[in-house]
Amino acid sequence: EGYRSQTVTCVENTLDVDYPALSRFLKSRGLAISNGYGDLKGRTFRVAHMGDVTDGEMRDALDAMSEFLA
């Protein structure tokens, strides 16, 4: 409460996903996410959905993440 953002979602990495590998995978598809920072680095990652990001682009990003996890 009090730290929410309507432009970025911070995802807790409860599955211990290899963030560098996920980031490289997404980059190869023209997508990008950001690692957590400070105490959250390596434990979270951030997905931006601000500006002119469309629902379709978010769907593409989530589909690519699902593909990586499969």
Side-chain angles (χ1 to χ4, degrees), residues 22 25-26 58-70:
L22 173 60
F25 180 83
L26 293 175
M58 285 305 303
R59 230 179 341 271
D60 291 345
L62 294 172
D63 288 347
M65 287 183 211
S66 292
E67 182 182 343
F68 176 83
L69 293 172

Side-chain angles (χ1 to χ4, degrees), residues 26-44:
L26 293 175
K27 186 175 182 180
S28 74
R29 285 158 176 72
L31 302 165
I33 59 174
S34 298
N35 200 350
Y37 57 92
D39 292 340
L40 299 176
K41 188 170 186 174
R43 298 184 343 193
T44 65

Side-chain angles (χ1 to χ4, degrees), residues 8-23 26 33-48 65:
V8 176
T9 297
C10 183
V11 180
E12 186 175 3
N13 190 0
T14 59
L15 298 178
D16 200 27
V17 173
D18 181 347
Y19 172 79
L22 173 60
S23 183
L26 293 175
I33 59 174
S34 298
N35 200 350
Y37 57 92
D39 292 340
L40 299 176
K41 188 170 186 174
R43 298 184 343 193
T44 65
F45 57 89
R46 295 170 289 143
V47 180
M65 287 183 211

